[in-house]
Amino acid sequence: MESKYSLNLNPQVNNYILSEGYDIADLRFHIDFHKVTSLLMGEKIYGEKRMGLRELIQNSIDACKVRKEIEDTNREFGDEEYIPSIKINIDKNNNQVTISDNGTGMTREILKNTF
């Protein structure tokens, strides 16, 4: 940064403000993880399980669309064209559905900062 933009500020702050009729309270915010995840998953948020499944599939579609746009924008002559792929695996024995795609995915930072 150029010196003409530099501000010489005194880092010491003198607090001369007195509170009248105000007490500082040590309050904290706590979240019950199990209750929150229960509210945000399955039938509680979507009303029906199939609507939650639809949301996951739509997330895969969106991730593939974003990657397609990125790939098409950055593709140079001779590069292979990106082909979106979404796979839905139904495992009846374990009562599980797995949805996978080759879209943009989530980085560690996205998972850490968003979730």
Side-chain angles (χ1 to χ4, degrees), residues 22-36:
Y22 176 79
D23 293 326
I24 297 174
D26 184 22
L27 302 175
R28 296 173 191 262
F29 184 71
H30 295 278
I31 295 177
D32 185 329
F33 176 78
H34 296 292
K35 287 183 182 177
V36 170

Side-chain angles (χ1 to χ4, degrees), residues 77-94:
F77 180 76
D79 289 347
E80 286 189 32
E81 184 177 355
Y82 163 72
I83 300 171
S85 173
I86 299 172
K87 296 178 183 173
I88 302 170
N89 183 24
I90 300 172
D91 183 352
K92 290 182 182 180
N93 294 333
N94 291 314

Side-chain angles (χ1 to χ4, degrees), residues 5-22:
Y5 296 115
S6 179
L7 297 174
N8 294 322
L9 299 174
N10 184 0
Q12 183 178 1
V13 176
N14 296 317
N15 184 359
Y16 299 114
I17 299 172
L18 300 174
S19 62
E20 292 182 17
Y22 176 79

Side-chain angles (χ1 to χ4, degrees), residues 7-71:
L7 297 174
N8 294 322
L9 299 174
N10 184 0
Q12 183 178 1
V13 176
N14 296 317
N15 184 359
Y16 299 114
I17 299 172
L18 300 174
S19 62
E20 292 182 17
Y22 176 79
D23 293 326
I24 297 174
D26 184 22
L27 302 175
R28 296 173 191 262
F29 184 71
H30 295 278
I31 295 177
D32 185 329
F33 176 78
H34 296 292
K35 287 183 182 177
V36 170
T37 53
S38 172
L39 286 172
L40 297 177
M41 297 184 144
E43 294 179 37
K44 300 245 183 190
I45 191 167
Y46 296 107
E48 297 177 38
K49 289 180 183 178
R50 65 186 177 101
M51 296 309 287
L53 182 61
R54 184 216 170 276
E55 176 71 17
L56 293 174
I57 295 169
Q58 185 62 53
N59 289 347
S60 286
I61 292 169
D62 293 342
C64 288
K65 283 182 175 181
V66 170
R67 181 167 175 194
K68 175 88 170 127
E69 186 173 328
I70 291 168
E71 294 283 338

